[in-house]
Amino acid sequence: MHIDRSDMLELTRRMTLSRNCFSRLAGAYMDEEGFIDNTFHINFLKLSAADREANLKIAKTIPFARTNVELKNYRFEEGDRKPGGIWQLLMALKSCELKNDALLYNLYEYIGERYPSDKPYAIYVFYGSYDVPVKGINQEEMWESEEVYQFLIGAICPLTGEYEAGPPEKGFLFPAFSNRSSDPESMNIFDPEDSDLLKRIFFD
């Protein structure tokens, strides 16, 4: 399914210090064998301005990537949405707004078992919500809201120092944001190397 660039730009406009759409940030630092070394879980708004800005830069990398080239859409078929699968885990994490540590550990371990790396890396997960405004006939935004789009952004980042994440190498947006609405049957995957690695992790 084609990703509309304007949808992604609409989201990234809410990823600034003055128009921040994120409320929680969680993550894990993984060793080179894919085991959890340390974790964190914080209220995004309690971060310092400098830390918020640095983390917004990480999160924004995913939707701001070149659509349909570095960022592609993939669909969860009915069989992929079975109980106990990764789709159900992502839906549960979205519903709890990242407030369940056990679910977060399940996600870190799921990725750690499947993500090949010969060096330590970080997994960052952001929870955000966006009150999607109604657009009038002239495409100008109005005060009314059509829906609240609740979403997760995940980023896999190399470590540039002790517990210091560099720019994302892989990532995802879930549920997909399509036609200015939530599409829970789809995920947008960020893979600038076009390796299909993350696609295989979530869909194979």
Side-chain angles (χ1 to χ4, degrees), residues 57-168:
K57 185 176 181 181
I58 290 173
K60 187 186 288 188
T61 298
I62 299 354
F64 198 65
R66 289 184 296 160
T67 50
N68 307 299
V69 180
E70 295 178 327
L71 184 70
K72 296 181 180 180
N73 187 76
Y74 297 95
R75 185 174 180 81
F76 289 97
E77 301 299 336
E78 185 176 354
D80 299 323
R81 303 194 298 273
K82 60 183 181 296
I86 184 61
W87 180 85
Q88 186 183 55
L89 175 59
L90 292 170
M91 288 292 288
L93 283 167
K94 177 181 74 73
S95 296
C96 75
E97 301 178 7
L98 299 185
K99 295 176 182 177
N100 186 313
D101 285 326
L103 292 176
L104 285 165
Y105 269 79
N106 287 343
L107 179 65
Y108 306 147
E109 290 175 345
Y110 179 90
I111 294 174
E113 289 171 1
R114 294 162 175 81
Y115 188 76
S117 181
D118 58 359
K119 56 188 177 183
Y121 60 94
I123 301 171
Y124 279 32
V125 189
F126 301 79
Y127 168 79
S129 61
Y130 170 39
D131 214 0
V132 184
V134 174
K135 283 193 175 181
I137 297 175
N138 58 3
Q139 296 302 303
E140 290 186 1
E141 294 183 357
M142 304 170 70
W143 290 108
E144 294 87 353
S145 171
E146 289 186 313
E147 70 170 285
V148 177
Y149 169 57
Q150 299 173 295
F151 62 98
L152 306 175
I153 285 183
I156 299 177
C157 309
L159 293 180
T160 59
E162 186 176 5
Y163 299 152
E164 184 175 346

Side-chain angles (χ1 to χ4, degrees), residues 8 11 62 149 151-153 171-177 187-188:
M8 297 299 101
L11 276 185
I62 299 354
Y149 169 57
F151 62 98
L152 306 175
I153 285 183
F172 65 84
L173 168 65
F174 177 84
F177 188 56
M187 168 189 275
N188 296 155

